[in-house]
């Protein structure tokens, strides 16, 4: 039927309905986007740094799969590797890319070079790859001070290129600093930036303030502790619970500090305040603890690394802020994903990672309320087995301990039972080791047995022999095991789901309302035909 032959009232209400329906769709979409943006921009998070000084590094596809499997949502790269940026496309993983120090001079000296860098490393991938920030150099003031005069010009040139592409509101630009640029860091209220860098810090903070960008800081309580042993207690460095007498107190503000990281963050805030900047947020671009060191690094242990990183993640997710700014919780990028075995001595330099290059965990994080984020116990998918090349006598001694003083359930490796065959000490020891490891909750140090055991992500079950940590275990047992660690992250997922369902419900209700109104109005005569 031709539109001109329809009654005017029908035409009027047809356009009214379609217009209102379109508006409802737009409003619903905007509400959803606003909720997502608010969550992304305002909620603190823990990301992870990815260094690549690793022998036999996995492919970028495997690396991205590992990140997704570990529920990592934010990463920092030390370059802008094109293969990695391609692999991250459509994953929703938010990434900080970096300008290496050796490119600073060229970018800081030429706007055209800066524009070319943005085109090649940002525009070629965004928005399929969610680039959230650009880190210009790394600890430039303390590692390559000769490039310092060009640091702010490089940042400003890159920002101008982002403005030209209309991406300056989506992608922030800053530069990570070493904690050593802050002098007299404790008590925090007395902290100030090294005045020899005032010519850089003053214009840099002005830029950060004007663009809403963060002050990026690499903060390591491990080094504070090592340089101040006897003054800074280990408990304060590891976020361990303290008695009031062990809390650090700022005598000028009477603020109590229960951990070193908060004190370092507040020292940065006070340092900025001394230069009259109070609206720049601190982003911790590196923090961690090494799991192994040489004879001069006795506190670089798996237990301490597990304790620090697990407690740090929980501290961020608790959103308790700092004593100076309880309303602001700094997001933190954990250092780092892999042990970088190609790094130069000391030994600790190669042992900051959560994983080896083959994705086997170095140790297991224990984050109460951390949910599946960096849950490198991979929901009961890690096992403890015998290392290759261990002599039978040593293995037998370890097996005897596990089944004796270790109180491990070794019934399955007795004659006639499912795991008795093959009847050799290596097979029996692997089962006993895993049984002990799972009994201890996969705790740090529970898969060692004087150096003859190792953690693996490959299920060692075979035939009818099912290892204690296997996903082949009965559903009933799995249910019991999976209910032992409640997850705040799951609560967060429920919150997102509820928010989304509310938006969806609002949308459906509005559509239903408009449909009813439309139906009613069609029967109201207007006296026009």
């Amino acid at each position: 039927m031709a539109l001109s032959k329809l009654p005017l009232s029908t035409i009027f209400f047809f356009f009214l309905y379609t217009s209102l329906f379109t508006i409802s769709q737009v409003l619903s979409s905007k509400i959803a986007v606003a909720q997502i943006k608010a969550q992304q921009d305002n909620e603190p998070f823990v990301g992870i740094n990815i260094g690549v000084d690793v022998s036999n590094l996995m492919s970028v596809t495997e690396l991205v799969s590992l990140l997704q499997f570990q529920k990592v949502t934010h990463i920092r790269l030390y370059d802008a590797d094109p293969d990695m940026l391609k692999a991250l496309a459509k994953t929703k993983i938010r990434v900080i890319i970096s300008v290496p120090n050796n490119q600073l001079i060229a970018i800081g000296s030429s706007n055209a070079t800066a524009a070319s860098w943005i085109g090649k490393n940002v525009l070629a991938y965004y928005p399929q790859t969610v680039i959230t920030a650009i880190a210009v150099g790394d600890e430039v003031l303390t590692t390559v001070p000769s490039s310092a005069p060009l640091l702010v010009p490089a940042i400003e040139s890159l920002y101008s290129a982002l403005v030209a592409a209309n991406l300056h509101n989506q992608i922030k630009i800053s530069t990570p600093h070493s904690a050593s640029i802050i002098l007299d860091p404790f008590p925090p209220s007395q902290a100030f930036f090294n005045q020899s860098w005032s010519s850089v810090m003053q214009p840099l903070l002005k830029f950060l303030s004007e663009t809403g960008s963060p002050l990026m800081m690499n903060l390591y309580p491990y080094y504070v502790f090592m340089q101040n042993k006897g003054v800074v207690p280990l408990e304060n460095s590891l976020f361990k619970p303290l008695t009031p007498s062990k809390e650090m107190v700022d005598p000028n503000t009477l603020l109590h500090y229960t951990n070193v990281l908060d004190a370092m963050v507040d020292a940065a805030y006070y340092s900025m305040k001394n230069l009259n900047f109070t609206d720049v947020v601190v982003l911790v671009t590196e923090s961690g603890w090494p799991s192994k060191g040489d004879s001069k690094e006795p506190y670089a242990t798996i237990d301490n690394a597990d304790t620090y990183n697990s407690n740090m993640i929980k501290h961020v997710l608790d959103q308790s802020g700092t004593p100076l700014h309880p309303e602001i919780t700094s997001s933190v990028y954990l250092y780092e994903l892999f042990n970088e075995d190609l790094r130069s001595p000391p030994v600790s330099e190669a042992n900051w990672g959560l994983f080896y290059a083959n994705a086997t965990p170095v140790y297991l994080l224990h984050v109460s309320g951390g949910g599946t984020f960096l849950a490198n116990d991979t929901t009961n998918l890690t096992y403890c087995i015998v290392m290759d090349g261990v002599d039978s006598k040593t293995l037998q001694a370890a097996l005897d301990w596990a089944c004796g003083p270790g109180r491990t359930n070794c019934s399955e490796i007795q004659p006639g039972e499912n795991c008795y065959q093959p009847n050799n000490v290596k097979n029996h020891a692997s089962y006993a080791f895993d049984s002990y490891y799972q009994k201890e909750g996969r705790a740090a140090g529970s898969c060692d047995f004087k150096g003859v055991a190792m953690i693996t992500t490959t299920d060692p079950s075979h035939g009818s022999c099912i290892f204690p940590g296997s996903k082949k275990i009965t559903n009933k047992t799995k249910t019991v095991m999976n209910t032992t660690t409640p997850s705040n992250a799951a609560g967060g997922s429920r919150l997102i789901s509820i928010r989304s369902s509310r938006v969806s419900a609002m949308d459906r209700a509005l559509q239903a309302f408009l449909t009813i109104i439309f139906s009613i109005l069609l029967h109201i005569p207007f006296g026009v035909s």
Side-chain angles (χ1 to χ4, degrees), residues 44 239 258-259 262 311-312 314-330:
F239 292 93
T258 59
N259 66 82
D262 279 353
N311 288 342
M312 182 271 289
K314 184 177 186 300
H315 184 66
V316 173
L317 298 182
D318 283 347
Q319 302 186 32
S320 54
T322 66
L324 177 62
H325 285 299
E327 78 285 3
I328 303 173
T329 298
S330 290

Side-chain angles (χ1 to χ4, degrees), residues 302-319:
I302 283 179
D303 282 344
N304 286 343
D306 175 25
T307 300
Y308 177 82
N309 286 325
S310 296
N311 288 342
M312 182 271 289
I313 292 170
K314 184 177 186 300
H315 184 66
V316 173
L317 298 182
D318 283 347
Q319 302 186 32

Side-chain angles (χ1 to χ4, degrees), residues 394-408 410 432-433 436 439-440 445-446 449-450:
T394 303
L395 273 185
Q396 187 64 55
L399 173 60
D400 292 343
W401 182 90
C403 296
R407 298 180 178 276
T408 298
C410 295
F433 290 177
Y436 178 83
K439 175 176 73 75
E440 295 296 309
S446 62
F449 298 93
K450 295 188 176 180

